[in-house]
Amino acid sequence: MHTLTKLPYAYNALEPHVDARTMEIHHTKHHQTYVDKLNAALEKHPSLQSLSAVELITDLSRVPEEIRTAVRNNAGGDANHVMFFTMLGPKKGGQPVGKLAAAIDAAFGPFEEFQKKFAAAAVGHFASGWAWLSREAGGKLLIETTPGHDSPIMAGRTPILVLDLWEHAYYLKHQNRRGDSVTAWWNVLDWQQAERNFVG
Ligand code: MN3
């Protein structure tokens, strides 16, 4: 059975950047639902139940066709939310560190330029989805967005940063202003974890 990953901070810990009510509903309702639906999809497939959500989305071809869409959506939903939530925290924000800082500089220019490019991709993405900084197998850094709960992992890339673009992630506080939620996100982003994702 897949279970809801506990957050390493309280729901109000990211105030004022992300409000407590949004955090609580996002985690206990939205994220929980993906975990529940993933368990339901795997109910009749015991051989797949020991695989983690990340393992499931890494190779969806081994998932039977009749549950593949459900696993793609809900293992993707679980894996993406675990990464998203555990890369946030109080007293975070600031700038990239270590090898990732140098790589972002080389690929996108100064940090402020990277922020502009990332925000433009996030705001420009149509409908629900996720914005990412990811690394191709050859090492190249890429800003990309994915629809639904798709992940760069499904295309063989390594996610470094992830931002939830679904309205449920920001609507209570920011309504239609997705750009404001991107601005807020920089203040709670854990760059130490991003560096660990980058160096592997
Ligand atoms: Mn979400």
Side-chain angles (χ1 to χ4, degrees):
M1 289 287 280
H2 292 263
T3 56
L4 183 65
T5 299
K6 289 190 168 54
L7 303 192
Y9 46 81
Y11 291 128
N12 65 2
L14 307 182
E15 296 267 13
H17 308 292
V18 187
D19 62 289
R21 181 94 175 117
T22 293
M23 284 302 300
E24 183 171 5
I25 294 172
H26 199 174
H27 186 239
T28 64
K29 305 294 184 193
H30 293 280
H31 188 180
Q32 179 73 61
T33 299
Y34 302 127
V35 174
D36 293 345
K37 287 186 173 174
L38 175 59
N39 284 326
L42 298 178
E43 203 171 7
K44 295 190 181 116
H45 301 270
S47 67
L48 297 174
Q49 289 170 359
S50 60
L51 296 175
S52 71
V54 168
E55 286 169 337
L56 285 165
I57 63 171
T58 298
D59 183 7
L60 283 163
S61 71
R62 63 184 160 188
V63 176
E65 209 167 325
E66 74 261 26
I67 60 164
R68 195 174 298 153
T69 299
V71 169
R72 180 182 192 141
N73 290 342
N74 295 294
D78 182 29
N80 293 357
H81 281 93
V82 168
M83 181 178 175
F84 173 67
F85 284 137
T86 58
M87 284 196 70
L88 307 179
K91 303 194 180 82
K92 303 292 184 187
Q95 301 224 350
V97 296
K99 292 191 167 74
L100 178 59
I104 285 177
D105 241 46
F108 305 104
F111 180 55
E112 294 72 24
E113 281 305 307
F114 167 72
Q115 283 184 300
K116 277 186 205 159
K117 288 169 182 162
F118 192 95
V123 171
H125 178 82
F126 179 72
S128 296
W130 297 79
W132 310 83
L133 175 66
S134 58
R135 195 185 58 219
E136 293 180 336
K140 187 172 183 281
L141 283 179
L142 188 73
I143 294 170
E144 62 178 318
T145 63
T146 55
H149 288 318
D150 282 1
S151 163
I153 292 173
M154 295 172 184
R157 293 189 284 277
T158 303
I160 312 295
L161 296 179
V162 57
L163 173 61
D164 194 336
L165 303 179
W166 286 57
E167 283 189 341
H168 68 229
Y170 60 83
Y171 202 85
L172 290 179
K173 186 179 173 79
H174 300 293
Q175 294 80 49
N176 59 312
R177 302 182 303 276
R178 184 187 281 173
D180 290 359
S181 75
V182 182
T183 303
W185 172 68
W186 297 117
N187 292 300
V188 291
L189 181 57
D190 184 351
W191 284 106
Q192 297 288 345
Q193 183 58 48
E195 171 71 354
R196 287 192 288 273
N197 296 344
F198 181 66
V199 300

